[in-house]
C-alpha cells in the first residue's frame, strides 16, 4: 500500500464508523416503541457497540490520528475566541458531547432491558436529549462546511447586482 493510501485509511475508517453510528442511532430512534422492540434492541446495541469501538480505538490511536479522542478545553476555546486561528473548538466540544450523551442513551437502554427496569424513563429522556445534540451537530457541521460558503457567494452576488445597477459614471 502506498504511503498516501495508508494515511487516508484511518479517515476512511472513521467515516465508515460514523455511518455505522448515525445509521444505527436513527434506526434505534425510529423503532423505539413496543411494536418494533426487537429492531430497537438490535439497533440500540449496534449504537452501544459503535461507542465502545470508538472508545477502544481512541485509547489505541497514535498521535496525529483522527481516531484520537476529542479533547475540548476551556482555556484553548477562550484563546481561540480571541485569535480565531486554528480549528473551531466547537468541533471537539460537539464530538465529546455526542459520544457521552449517545453512550449514556445506549447504556441506560441496555440496563433498562436487563437489570434495572427503573431506568426506562431516564433512558427515554437521555435519548431525547441526544437527538437534540445531534440536531445541533448537523446544524453546526452544515454551517461550517457549506453555510459560510453559500453566504459568501450570496454576498458577492448582491455586490455584483449593486454594481450593475449603478449608473456607469459612478463606477469610474
Ligand atoms: C447529515 C448528517 C450528518 C452529517 C453531515 C455529519 C457530519 C459530521 C462531520 C463532518 C463530522 C466530523 C467533524 C470534524 O471534522 O471534527 C462528524 C463527527 C461526528 N458525528 Fe456526525 N454528521 C451527521 C450525523 C450524525 C449523527 C446522526 C450522529 C450520531 C448518531 C453523528 C455523530 C457524530 C460524532 C459522535 C462525531 C465525532 C466523531 C469523532 O471524532 O469521534 N453525526 N459528523
Ligand atoms: C442510543 C440508542 C438508543 C436510542 C436513541 C433509544 C431511544 C429510545 C426511546 C426514544 C425510547 C422511548 C420509546 C417510547 O416512546 O416508549 C426507548 C425506550 C426503550 N429502549 Fe431504547 N434507545 C436506544 C438504545 C437502547 C438499547 C441498547 C436498549 C437495550 C435493549 C434499549 C431498550 C429500551 C427499552 C427497554 C425501552 C422501553 C420500552 C417501552 O417502554 O416499551 N434502548 N428507547
Amino acid at each position: 500500500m502506498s504511503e498516501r493510501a495508508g494515511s487516508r485509511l484511518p479517515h476512511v475508517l472513521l467515516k465508515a464508523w460514523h455511518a455505522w453510528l448515525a445509521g444505527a442511532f436513527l434506526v434505534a430512534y425510529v423503532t423505539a416503541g413496543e411494536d418494533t422492540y426487537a429492531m430497537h434492541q438490535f439497533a440500540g446495541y449496534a449504537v452501544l457497540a459503535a461507542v465502545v469501538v470508538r472508545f477502544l480505538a481512541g485509547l489505541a490511536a497514535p498521535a496525529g490520528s483522527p481516531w484520537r479522542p476529542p479533547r475540548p478545553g476551556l482555556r484553548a476555546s477562550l484563546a481561540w475566541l480571541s485569535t480565531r486561528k486554528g480549528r473551531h473548538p466547537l468541533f471537539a466540544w460537539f464530538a465529546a458531547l455526542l459520544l457521552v450523551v449517545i453512550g449514556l442513551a445506549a447504556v441506560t437502554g441496555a440496563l433498562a432491558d436487563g437489570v434495572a427496569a427503573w431506568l426506562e424513563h431516564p433512558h427515554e429522556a437521555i435519548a431525547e436529549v441526544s437527538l437534540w445534540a445531534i440536531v445541533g451537530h448537523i446544524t453546526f457541521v452544515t454551517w461550517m462546511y457549506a453555510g459560510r460558503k453559500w453566504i459568501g457567494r450570496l454576498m458577492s452576488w448582491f455586490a455584483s447586482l449593486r454594481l450593475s445597477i449603478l449608473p456607469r459614471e459612478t463606477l469610474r
Side-chain angles (χ1 to χ4, degrees), residues 18 22 25 54 87 91 95 98-99 102 134 137-138 141 145:
H18 183 271
F25 181 94
R54 178 70 185 87
R87 201 137 205 264
F91 277 113
L98 287 166
L99 290 168
I102 293 170
I134 292 167
H137 159 64
I138 295 176
V141 291
Y145 287 113

Side-chain angles (χ1 to χ4, degrees), residues 151-164:
I151 290 203
R153 274 192 207 144
L154 209 62
M155 296 303 258
S156 47
W157 180 74
F158 272 125
S160 64
L161 200 69
R162 273 180 47 207
L163 283 177
S164 63

Side-chain angles (χ1 to χ4, degrees), residues 25 28-29 32-34 37 40-41 44-45 47 102 105-106 109-110 112-113 120 123-124 127-128:
F25 181 94
Y29 192 85
E34 276 166 30
Y37 184 63
H40 178 69
Q41 218 177 356
Y45 280 119
V47 172
I102 293 170
D113 186 44
E120 256 182 46
H123 168 61
E124 288 181 31
E128 297 304 336

